[in-house]
Amino acid sequence: MFGGIPGAPTLSSGKTYYNPHVSGYKDGKCIDCGMRATGTGSVLSEGNIAVITDKGEQMTYAELDAITRIDVPRGLVFCLCSNTLPSFVGYLTCLQSNLPVVMLDGSKPKEVIDALVEAYQPEYIWDGELKPTGLKGTLVNDELAMCLTTSGSTGSPKFVRLSAQNILSNAESIAEYLHID
C-alpha cells in the first residue's frame, strides 16, 4: 500500500545503522536522551543485550540505538503492533525520532484500520517498516509522544495522550518500585 522510506529501519532488510538525530555526547552521556554512551557500565557497550525474543532473536542496546533514530518530518504514525521484535523497534523508532505514535492492534481487520486512517490521517504507518501514507496529516501538539487506545465507557475507541515526560515518569516509577538501577 505504501512505499518504505529510505534510511528508515527495517528488520527484514537487515540492520541499518543510521543515527542522524544524535547531537553528540557530553560528560559521557547522549545530549538527546541522557543515556551513558561510553565507559564502564555503559548500556551502549558492545554486547549488552537489550532484547531477547521468544524466538531467540537478540539485539543489543547499541544496535537498537543505531537503528531507531531516523530523519523524517514529524508526523503522526500508526504503529500496527503485534508481540514481535519489528513492532518493538517501530515503537522505539517513533519515540527516538520524535514521531507521535498511535499504538494499534495489528491483527484488527483491514476495514477497522482503514477507518482509523481515514479519520486521523496519519503521515506514516509502521507495519515492520515506516511507510508514508501520502495523506495530509493531522496537526499534533509538540509534546505528544504516544496515544494508547481505550474503549472508554461507550465501547468506541478513545485515545489516551501521553507526552515523553509522562512515559519517562511512568518508567522511572516502575523501575523504582522494582528496584531496577
Side-chain angles (χ1 to χ4, degrees):
M1 179 172 167
F2 310 108
I5 294 175
T10 75
L11 296 181
S12 59
S13 65
K15 296 173 185 167
T16 304
Y17 296 96
Y18 181 62
N19 196 352
H21 283 283
V22 173
S23 301
Y25 295 92
K26 181 177 181 180
D27 300 325
K29 292 186 178 183
C30 174
I31 291 170
D32 297 322
C33 67
M35 183 185 299
R36 187 185 333 200
T38 59
T40 306
S42 164
V43 295
L44 297 181
S45 297
E46 187 65 35
N48 282 336
I49 302 296
V51 178
I52 301 174
T53 70
D54 60 347
K55 296 177 183 170
E57 300 167 294
Q58 296 183 17
M59 290 191 84
T60 66
Y61 284 100
E63 289 171 325
L64 280 172
D65 184 63
I67 69 169
T68 58
R69 295 176 191 258
I70 58 174
D71 189 15
V72 297
R74 181 173 161 85
L76 188 64
V77 178
F78 276 10
C79 185
L80 305 182
C81 300
S82 58
N83 193 16
T84 63
L85 187 54
S87 289
F88 178 67
V89 169
Y91 166 70
L92 285 181
T93 296
C94 290
L95 291 181
Q96 293 280 65
S97 301
N98 195 29
L99 296 170
V101 61
V102 176
M103 309 296 284
L104 297 172
D105 181 352
S107 68
K108 292 284 184 195
K110 182 181 179 326
E111 300 78 34
V112 172
I113 301 297
D114 288 347
L116 289 169
V117 167
E118 179 66 28
Y120 293 98
Q121 301 283 302
E123 283 88 343
Y124 309 100
I125 291 187
W126 177 279
D127 66 352
E129 65 180 335
L130 191 65
K131 299 173 183 176
T133 62
L135 299 172
K136 183 177 181 180
T138 304
L139 182 63
V140 294
N141 185 294
D142 287 341
E143 291 186 21
L144 181 65
M146 182 165 128
C147 291
L148 297 174
T149 57
T150 178
S151 64
S153 59
T154 64
S156 63
K158 306 271 190 268
F159 292 120
V160 175
R161 298 173 299 212
L162 301 170
S163 69
Q165 185 59 53
N166 294 143
I167 296 167
L168 179 61
S169 295
N170 187 49
E172 288 173 342
S173 176
I174 292 168
E176 181 181 331
Y177 178 80
L178 296 175
H179 305 289
I180 299 171
D181 292 330

